[in-house]
């Protein structure tokens, strides 16, 4: 199955004139991880990532049609997604710290469902912090909510 996915993606990359791509495909437990290394990064990602979501969507549809089942697909071009995830994580922890220090909620900019999921998972279990998604469609965003510690010590009388 991995070989078939690799061949289809290589065909897609050739169609996009990305001839130098080094492709790694891993399929395990309904998860498909695809890593692409190429000099033609902008062809796949765009200047500021505007093409990446479309490219990833096409690959997800291809993998689903090849496997015949719903598979979680992760595509990374030149480790850009990993770098963006780490940058988001650093930003979110900084904003959570600010929410704790100022004892107030902090609203993030609108983001994709994938990015919102990351924010929720990054801050899960953080003291005095909870996350909520608000808004509709492209305006949907995460709010980092400060919550008071509800555990109070009993005073002895």
């Amino acid at each position: 199955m991995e070989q078939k996915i690799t061949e289809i993606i290589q065909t897609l990359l050739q169609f996009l004139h990305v001839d130098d791509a080094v492709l790694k495909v891993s399929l395990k437990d309904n998860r498909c991880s695809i890593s692409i290394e190429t000099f033609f990064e902008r062809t796949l990602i765009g200047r500021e990532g505007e093409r990446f979501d479309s490219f990833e969507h096409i690959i997800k549809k291809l993998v689903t049609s090849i496997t015949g089942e719903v598979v979680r697909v992760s595509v990374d071009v030149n480790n850009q997604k990993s770098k963006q995830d780490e940058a988001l994580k650093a930003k979110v922890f900084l904003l959570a710290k600010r929410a704790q220090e100022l004892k107030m909620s902090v609203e993030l900019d609108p983001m994709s469902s994938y990015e919102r999921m990351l924010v929720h998972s990054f801050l899960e279990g953080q003291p005095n912090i909870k996350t909520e998604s608000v808004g509709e469609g492209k305006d949907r965003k995460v709010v980092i909510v400060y919550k008071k510690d509800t555990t109070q010590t009993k005073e002895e009388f």
Side-chain angles (χ1 to χ4, degrees), residues 103-144:
K103 297 184 172 138
M104 60 182 279
S105 296
V106 176
E107 193 173 280
L108 280 68
D109 293 330
M111 55 184 62
S112 71
S113 59
Y114 171 76
E115 292 169 318
R116 290 192 310 273
M117 181 270 307
L118 285 179
V119 172
H120 292 302
S121 65
F122 290 154
L123 296 179
E124 188 175 343
Q126 290 294 309
N128 301 88
I129 293 292
K130 74 175 188 171
T131 57
E132 299 174 350
S133 289
V134 297
E136 301 273 330
K138 294 208 180 274
D139 293 326
R140 196 149 172 86
K141 56 188 146 195
V142 175
V143 177
I144 301 171

Side-chain angles (χ1 to χ4, degrees), residues 1 27 29-31 60-61 63-73:
M1 191 68 66
L27 183 62
D29 299 329
N30 284 344
R31 292 182 184 264
K60 286 178 182 181
K61 292 293 186 184
V63 169
T64 299
S65 69
I66 292 167
T67 61
E69 53 191 70
V70 178
V71 178
R72 296 194 82 172
V73 178

Side-chain angles (χ1 to χ4, degrees), residues 6-24:
T6 301
E7 290 170 6
I8 297 289
I9 295 172
Q10 284 175 334
T11 302
L12 174 63
L13 292 171
Q14 288 171 353
F15 178 76
L16 295 171
H17 304 289
V18 178
D19 300 325
D20 71 333
V22 175
L23 186 62
K24 294 178 188 167

Side-chain angles (χ1 to χ4, degrees), residues 39 82 114:
F39 178 75
S82 301
Y114 171 76

